């Protein structure tokens, strides 16, 4: 029993030492004092802080964080909330070979430490990042330019197909990948399809009359050997999607 207690005590001492080392080094890396972030980091990383954990963080996340925070001044950098940094550090262990995901998580961590925009760093965004692909992010990036895009849906008795300029604006040529991305982003409630509002209906009508749209409709009719119906809509970024774009996208 005494031996077990001693071993537990020794483990606690080693863990506390690890906390101190990680806090000191992370504080140095982001250009702020240990005091401002030590408590948050210690709490958030209590389950797995080790030398190797910090080495991974330093190698993967710190370059991204520093890049986004270098312009705001070291005295203004805030400690990241435990509900943000904890899940990020858990997730980063699965992303060592994926610079795309590392970039998104690093930007989210930096956002949570930037007093100008830190309220946009929602804890749910860590989980959302882990459910995205590079194609998803390219689609979302298009909605930085405008909130909505006109969409035409083609319907037959056996299929439905979407046509818009979103894929073109995002530089995506693989229609299957684009369609899957749209499905995923609407599933995550980052994008949605709505009936065009009055001021937007002219844009949808213009899209419906474009030669490329008509050609797409004719192709589907020929392939399916049946009448093709169309439905007009607009694809819009939701409020959560706007926050995600600002908080996570490079």
């Amino acid at each position: 029993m005494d031996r077990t207690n001693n071993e537990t005590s020794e483990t606690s001492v080693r863990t506390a030492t690890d906390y101190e080392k990680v806090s000191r080094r992370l504080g140095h890396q982001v250009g702020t004092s240990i005091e401002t972030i030590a408590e948050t980091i210690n709490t958030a990383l209590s389950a797995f802080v080790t030398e190797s954990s910090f080495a991974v963080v330093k190698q993967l996340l710190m370059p991204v964080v520093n890049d986004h925070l270098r312009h705001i001044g070291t005295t203004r950098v805030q400690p990241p909330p435990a509900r943000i940094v904890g899940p990020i550090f858990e997730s980063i262990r699965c992303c060592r070979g994926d610079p795309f995901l590392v970039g998104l998580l690093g930007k989210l961590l930096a956002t949570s430490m930037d007093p100008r925009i830190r309220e946009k760093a929602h804890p749910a965004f860590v989980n959302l990042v882990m459910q995205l692909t590079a194609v998803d992010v390219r689609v979302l990036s298009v909605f930085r330019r405008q909130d909505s895009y006109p969409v035409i849906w083609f319907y037959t008795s056996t299929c439905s197909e979407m046509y818009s300029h979103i894929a073109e604006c995002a530089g995506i040529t693989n229609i299957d990948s684009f369609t899957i991305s749209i499905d995923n982003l609407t599933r995550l409630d980052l994008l949605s399809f709505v009936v065009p509002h009055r001021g937007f209906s002219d844009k949808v009508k213009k899209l419906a009359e474009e030669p490329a749209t008509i050609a797409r409709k004719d192709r589907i009719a020929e392939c399916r050997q049946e009448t093709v119906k169309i439905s007009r809509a607009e694809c819009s970024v939701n409020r959560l999607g706007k926050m995600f774009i600002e908080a996570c996208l490079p």
Side-chain angles (χ1 to χ4, degrees), residues 122 125 128 188-190 238-245:
H122 196 284
F125 289 168
L128 288 179
L188 295 172
D189 204 28
L190 299 177
N238 298 331
R239 181 178 300 178
L240 185 68
K242 290 180 181 180
M243 282 184 57
F244 182 85
I245 290 171

Side-chain angles (χ1 to χ4, degrees), residues 131-165:
Q131 298 182 68
L132 297 181
T133 67
V135 174
D136 296 333
V137 173
R138 288 166 67 181
V139 172
L140 278 177
S141 296
V142 168
F143 289 87
R144 277 177 165 164
R145 308 174 193 175
Q146 59 191 59
D147 291 345
S148 298
Y149 287 83
V151 170
I152 300 295
W153 283 96
F154 302 108
Y155 292 98
T156 71
S157 62
T158 58
C159 76
S160 64
E161 184 175 316
M162 185 188 83
Y163 179 71
S164 74
H165 292 310

Side-chain angles (χ1 to χ4, degrees), residues 5 22 34 41-42 49 66 75 77 101 114 145 185 222 247:
N5 290 337
V22 171
I34 302 172
I41 297 300
N42 286 351
V49 169
N66 282 333
T75 58
V77 173
L101 289 177
D114 186 339
R145 308 174 193 175
L185 294 173
E222 181 180 359

Side-chain angles (χ1 to χ4, degrees), residues 22 25 50-63 89 96:
V22 171
R25 294 182 185 181
T50 62
E51 286 289 330
S52 59
S53 295
F54 181 76
V56 172
V57 171
K58 180 178 179 181
Q59 178 184 1
L60 298 179
L61 281 182
M62 286 307 107
F89 274 56
R96 298 189 188 193

